[in-house]
Amino acid sequence: MAAPRRRWTPTLLVVVAALLINLPVLHGLYLDRRLAAEGVHRVAPVEAHREAGGGHLLRYALDGASFTADVEEDVFEQAVRTGEVGVRVLLDDPGTHRVDGAVSSRLGLVVTLAADAALALMLYLLWHFRGRLRPQLRLVAMQDVERCRPGAVLERMEGDWYVVCGEVLEIGDDQLVLDLGDRRVQVLLDGHANPVGHQQPAKVVGRAVP
């Protein structure tokens, strides 16, 4: 079975996970830019207010829906006194708005950065140990080693016969090691020629041995 895709699958999974983790932050930045460029200022009536855990919470109405926001103390006091609070809103999407003096939490950003750091570490480990993730396969070459196009291939033929393509990682006495990304293949040349140099793609037809 050909395996060029398999070589990069772990990396692609990490990249997709990173996109999913960072998507809320990126979407929030996009909405902030839209509010700054297209938003209009409106006044929303305050329905309720309370102080809790050092926060100043306002519940306000906007286009028939109720929302709650934590605001700065001076904005809170003015809203309590006047019964209204200023809001910057997108006319085509009233649900996207920002209250004047809103206190934004950095918890989401901290969690996102921590998750990004964990993914970066995972990506490093995948790259560093990419040749040790699966057991090493040992082959006895049945013909001379050939040059081939870049890309990892591990195709089982009949019985214990394999066709393998990979990057030459090591060259030794009558043997070489191919790197397939998620597996290394040791090839015993058994007297066959190897015209392929180090870090170049090579193709081997051989029989698996213990």
Side-chain angles (χ1 to χ4, degrees), residues 52-83:
H56 303 82
L57 304 178
L58 294 176
R59 191 175 76 221
Y60 54 95
L62 190 63
D63 288 352
S66 295
F67 302 91
T68 300
D70 184 11
V71 299
E72 298 173 355
E73 184 176 1
D74 57 338
V75 174
F76 178 82
E77 293 176 352
Q78 182 178 355
V80 171
R81 184 171 61 254
T82 63

Side-chain angles (χ1 to χ4, degrees), residues 87-134:
V87 180
R88 192 169 188 84
V89 59
L90 292 178
L91 291 179
D92 60 346
D93 183 13
T96 300
H97 61 271
R98 182 172 59 241
V99 178
D100 292 348
V103 177
S104 58
S105 172
R106 295 184 177 272
L107 178 61
L109 180 60
V110 171
V111 171
T112 299
L113 292 176
D116 285 341
L119 286 174
L121 177 61
M122 185 183 303
L123 187 60
Y124 167 77
L125 293 176
L126 286 171
W127 176 258
H128 185 70
F129 296 104
R130 66 189 187 281
R132 310 173 197 174
L133 298 179
R134 302 182 65 180

Side-chain angles (χ1 to χ4, degrees), residues 137-141 160 162 164 185-188 204 206-209:
L137 179 66
R138 298 178 75 240
L139 299 178
V140 174
D160 295 332
Y162 286 85
V164 178
V185 178
Q186 180 185 18
V187 180
L188 307 178
V204 173
R207 178 173 53 83
V209 294

